[in-house]
Amino acid sequence: MNQMPDTISYGSINQTADQVYNYMLLDHSGNWGMDLHHWDWVPGVGVISILSYYENTRKTEVLDDLIKWARQNIQKSEHSRVINSMAPFAIFPALYQHTQDPLFLEKAEQIGQWMLTDAPRTREGAFEHTVTENVSFPEQVWADTIFMAVLFLARLARLTGEASYAVEAVNQLELHLSLLEDKETGVLFHGWNCITQDHMSAARWTRANAWIAVGTPMIVQELEGLAAVSEQALERYRAMMLGLIRFQRADGLWSTVMDRPDFYPETSGSAGIACGILKAVRLGLLDLSCQDAAFRALEAIVPKVLPSGEVTGVSGGTPVMPTIEAYNEIPCHPTLYGQGLVLMLLSELDIQAM
C-alpha cells in the first residue's frame, strides 16, 4: 500500500479529526451551514460523517451523540418530504442495528417506500432534485442525489435484505452516472435537464463530482451480494475518477469548477474526491496507484483546518448556476458538509491504518 506523505502522521490525522468533529458539536444555532439541529441535507451530511467517524474510533460517546440527535430531531423530518432532505435517514439503519429501537427501522422503511412509490421522478426515471427551499427544479437530475438519497436506499437494502431497495439503488446510480457524464473528459456535469435535454450551464463542478466519487463505493459496498452494479456503470465511475485525477491542481486541491484553474480551490469537494479515491481503491474499483492523488489532496486539506476545528475554503450551497463564471462568485464559509467531507476523509485514512 502506498504511504502517506512524511509530513503527516496518523497521530496528527486523529487529532485533526477530533478537532473537526468537536467543532461540529458546538452551538451553531441559526447558522444555516453549521446548525446540526434541523432536518435537511446539510446536517444530513454532518451525521453521515459522524457515523463514519464512530465506525473508525468506536468511541461510545460519538454513537450516543448520534442517537440523541436522531431522537431529538426526527419529528422535524415531517415538515418537508423532498429528495434532498433524505440524507439524515442514511444513519437510521446503523442506529437500528446498534439500539434495536423499532423507531429507526419503522421510519427508515416508511421513507424507503416513499422513495420507491411517491418520490418525484424525471421521464428517465431518475429522482427529481427536490429541495426544502421554496424553489423547484422540474425534471432536473443533480449529482447530489446519489449521496443524499441513494446511499440511504442501499443501506436500507443491506439492513432488510429487501430486493426492491437494492434494485432501485442500482437503477438510480446507473441513471445518474449516465445522464451526468461528460463523454469528453469522463467527469460529471453538475446537473441534467430532462426537458431541454442538456446540462444547463454544463459546469464540471467539483463538489457535484465529489458526492458521486465518495457515494458510489459506499453504495457498492452496501449492495454486495444483494444487487450488482453493471460493468458499464462501474466503467463510467472509473472514467470519472481518472478524469478527476487529471484535473487535480498542482497544490493538490481541485478548483471549484475543476477545468477552470483560475477559479478558487475548494476544500469540501477536494476532500470528497480524495475520500472517494481511497474507498474505491480499498474496494478494488481503482488501481492502488490512484492513492497518490488522495494523499496529495490530504497534504493540502489538513492546513485548511483551523486549530478550532473549523474547515476553511468551503463554498456555500450551490444550485446549478446560470453560467460557469457564477460558480466562482459563490462565497466560502464553514458548513457541516465541509466539516463532514473532511471528517470522512480523515476517518477513511484511519481505517486504512488499521
Side-chain angles (χ1 to χ4, degrees):
M1 180 168 290
N2 296 3
Q3 297 298 309
M4 279 204 307
D6 293 337
T7 54
I8 298 175
S9 69
Y10 283 109
S12 67
I13 291 295
N14 287 336
Q15 181 181 9
T16 304
D18 291 345
Q19 291 169 328
V20 170
Y21 168 67
N22 288 328
Y23 188 77
M24 296 169 76
L25 294 190
L26 297 178
D27 184 1
H28 298 283
S29 299
N31 180 338
W32 174 86
M34 283 300 304
D35 186 357
L36 197 61
H37 294 288
H38 65 112
W39 196 277
D40 206 348
W41 69 276
V42 176
V45 178
V47 294
I48 291 170
S49 70
I50 291 172
L51 179 61
S52 293
Y53 177 65
Y54 165 72
E55 290 171 343
N56 169 43
T57 64
R58 294 294 166 176
K59 294 179 179 178
T60 56
E61 64 270 22
V62 176
L63 179 59
D64 290 344
D65 285 338
L66 275 179
I67 294 168
K68 181 180 177 182
W69 179 89
R71 288 175 173 156
Q72 281 183 340
N73 293 286
I74 190 171
Q75 73 280 2
K76 299 173 186 175
S77 69
E78 300 297 333
H79 296 168
S80 182
R81 187 169 291 181
V82 295
I83 208 70
N84 217 29
S85 68
M86 296 295 105
F89 289 115
I91 70 170
F92 276 39
L95 294 187
Y96 174 70
Q97 289 177 310
H98 286 296
T99 67
Q100 294 299 300
D101 183 343
L103 170 69
F104 296 125
L105 177 59
E106 290 165 8
K107 192 64 178 178
E109 290 188 311
Q110 179 187 347
I111 295 303
Q113 286 301 309
W114 174 81
M115 284 192 193
L116 293 184
T117 60
D118 295 328
R121 295 174 185 249
T122 69
R123 62 195 66 189
E124 295 95 345
F127 289 143
E128 183 180 283
H129 186 78
T130 50
V131 298
T132 54
E133 294 85 358
N134 187 26
V135 62
S136 64
F137 305 101
E139 287 220 57
Q140 288 188 21
V141 178
W142 291 16
D144 314 43
T145 298
I146 292 301
F147 194 87
M148 307 308 165
V150 181
L151 175 60
F152 159 73
L153 271 182
R155 287 180 170 178
L156 184 59
R158 170 59 56 191
L159 175 66
T160 63
E162 175 55 53
S164 59
Y165 299 136
V167 169
E168 189 59 51
V170 169
N171 179 48
Q172 292 299 324
L173 178 61
E174 293 181 348
L175 278 170
H176 281 71
L177 285 168
S178 173
L179 292 172
L180 297 172
E181 180 186 29
D182 172 23
K183 291 181 172 59
E184 179 183 344
T185 65
V187 304
L188 304 185
F189 293 111
H190 188 174
W192 167 256
N193 188 316
C194 301
I195 299 172
T196 56
Q197 294 286 294
D198 61 26
H199 294 102
M200 297 170 280
S201 58
R204 299 175 182 93
W205 184 48
T206 288
R207 195 162 63 232
N209 281 262
W211 295 129
I212 295 187
V214 70
T216 297
M218 295 171 78
I219 290 166
V220 169
Q221 185 173 20
E222 296 291 345
L223 294 178
E224 185 177 0
L226 297 173
V229 178
S230 71
E231 187 56 38
Q232 184 180 30
L234 293 177
E235 281 300 324
R236 283 195 171 106
Y237 176 75
R238 282 189 277 270
M240 178 192 79
M241 298 302 282
L242 294 175
L244 292 175
I245 291 171
R246 286 192 291 271
F247 279 120
Q248 189 174 22
R249 295 158 51 113
D251 63 6
L253 299 175
W254 281 263
S255 297
T256 192
V257 175
M258 68 183 68
D259 57 333
R260 291 295 301 266
D262 53 319
F263 283 16
Y264 66 80
E266 204 280 324
T267 306
S268 68
S270 298
I273 291 169
C275 184
I277 290 170
L278 294 177
K279 285 182 179 294
V281 168
R282 182 161 54 83
L283 290 182
L285 299 177
L286 289 177
D287 186 78
L288 181 63
S289 61
C290 294
Q291 277 191 152
D292 290 338
F295 292 147
R296 287 179 55 220
L298 174 70
E299 276 195 292
I301 288 166
V302 169
K304 297 290 186 180
V305 181
L306 302 181
S308 64
E310 176 188 316
V311 176
T312 63
V314 176
S315 62
T318 307
V320 177
M321 301 299 286
T323 66
I324 300 292
E325 287 69 25
Y327 283 84
N328 201 37
E329 298 169 7
I330 300 292
C332 291
H333 51 80
T335 67
L336 287 166
Y337 55 83
Q339 303 288 131
L341 287 168
V342 170
L343 186 60
M344 288 181 69
L345 170 61
L346 299 175
S347 297
E348 183 66 26
L349 284 159
D350 252 6
I351 288 171
Q352 299 223 343
M354 291 178 179

